Amino acid sequence: MLVYGTALHSRLLLGTALYPSPDVLADAVRASGTELVTVSLRRESAGMRAGQAFWTLIQGLGVRVLPNTAGCHSVREAVTTAQMAREVFATDWVKLEVIGEGDTLAPDVFGLVEAARILTDDGFKVFPYTTEDLVVAERLLRAGCEVLMPWGAPIGSGKGLNNPFGLRAMRAHFPDVPLVVDAGIGLPSHAAAAMELGYDAVLINTAVAQAGDPAAMAHAFRLAVEAGYAARLADPMEPRDMASPSTPVLGQAMLA
């Protein structure tokens, strides 16, 4: 997968929140095979005393960092957080979240487009957390985004792909844009389904961090993403409404 001119060989992106301990997080990252993890400036404050241990741990894992603006509810808040994250984590990549509604954590798509435009003009490479709405997606691309991250379901819900029709339409509408399903995935089968739809990657956090065995679950997601991607490349059959015999009937004995 090529994003902003950078090749990522793993199609599994991993969040770093909600793990029971730093050691468990490290084991999960290694088991996932990921090359890119998201980090929250608000929680970790890398470079400061409170977050230095976490930052040292992440640096030791040899993965690329994607700071996020999790918890931001306004354009100003998101832009300021992104600018601080760029200084702290020394990267111009940012996962942009502008939350518009508290119960579903649905993005404020109007604020998202505005913030994306401000940040791309400022040299950021923006990964926007959005819905599967095609109009919003088009506006984000016009704002300078080169990747889109539509939700599968509300953040942390684990419900999977709520709107596969919408996700399929987005894939068809933007065949050359890197697409990453972000949020709502709870099981490896959900991740495989996203990859079978033709998505380029998935971003997982809670489903791994809150599993009974996070490292084992991270490994399961790794296999599921690889299987879903391989299935997509293998050109799966189209579903049928009627039955079709899988065993040839030619030469079959016929009873009088």
Side-chain angles (χ1 to χ4, degrees):
M1 179 174 64
L2 192 65
V3 286
Y4 290 111
T6 298
L8 297 175
H9 301 289
S10 171
R11 296 173 181 273
L12 175 58
L13 284 55
L14 203 63
T16 56
L18 303 176
Y19 288 85
S21 74
D23 289 340
V24 172
L25 164 62
D27 289 342
V29 170
R30 295 189 188 98
S32 73
T34 188
E35 298 170 75
L36 184 63
V37 299
T38 62
V39 295
S40 170
L41 175 67
R42 290 177 171 229
R43 279 194 305 272
E44 313 305 350
S45 299
M48 302 177 188
R49 182 172 300 175
Q52 187 59 53
F54 169 83
W55 184 224
T56 300
L57 169 68
I58 296 298
Q59 289 177 307
L61 293 172
V63 294
R64 191 176 184 118
V65 170
L66 177 63
N68 64 50
T69 62
C72 293
H73 289 257
S74 70
V75 172
R76 181 177 181 181
E77 195 178 11
V79 169
T80 301
T81 301
Q83 291 170 336
M84 293 173 64
R86 179 165 60 182
E87 294 184 15
V88 169
F89 295 105
T91 177
D92 55 6
W93 285 23
V94 63
K95 181 195 167 193
L96 179 61
E97 294 184 21
V98 182
I99 301 301
E101 203 281 321
D103 289 335
T104 62
L105 298 180
D108 170 1
V109 295
F110 306 100
L112 181 69
V113 172
E114 182 181 352
R117 182 175 296 108
I118 293 171
L119 291 172
T120 55
D121 287 347
D122 193 24
F124 280 91
K125 297 175 175 59
V126 177
F127 295 65
Y129 161 65
T130 183
T131 67
E132 65 274 22
D133 188 289
L134 298 182
V135 177
V136 176
E138 186 65 47
R139 299 290 174 85
L140 288 167
L141 295 174
R142 290 181 192 172
C145 297
E146 296 183 12
V147 58
L148 299 171
M149 302 182 73
W151 62 351
I155 293 172
S157 67
K159 289 185 173 299
L161 308 181
N162 273 356
N163 185 7
F165 170 79
L167 293 172
R168 187 180 296 111
M170 176 175 275
R171 178 69 287 174
H173 202 75
F174 304 107
D176 300 322
V177 176
L179 300 178
V180 180
V181 171
D182 175 17
I185 290 179
L187 292 170
S189 57
H190 301 156
M195 301 303 294
E196 289 168 4
L197 284 176
Y199 276 70
D200 297 283
V202 296
L203 171 56
I204 314 291
N205 191 159
T206 307
V208 170
Q210 298 293 285
D213 186 339
M217 186 60 77
H219 183 66
F221 269 107
R222 177 180 186 171
L223 297 178
V225 168
E226 292 173 356
Y229 181 64
R232 177 68 180 181
L233 293 180
D235 190 17
M237 63 169 284
E238 292 294 328
R240 302 187 181 101
D241 291 330
M242 301 296 290
S244 176
S246 57
T247 301
V249 296
L250 184 65
Q252 183 177 7
M254 302 294 290
L255 300 179

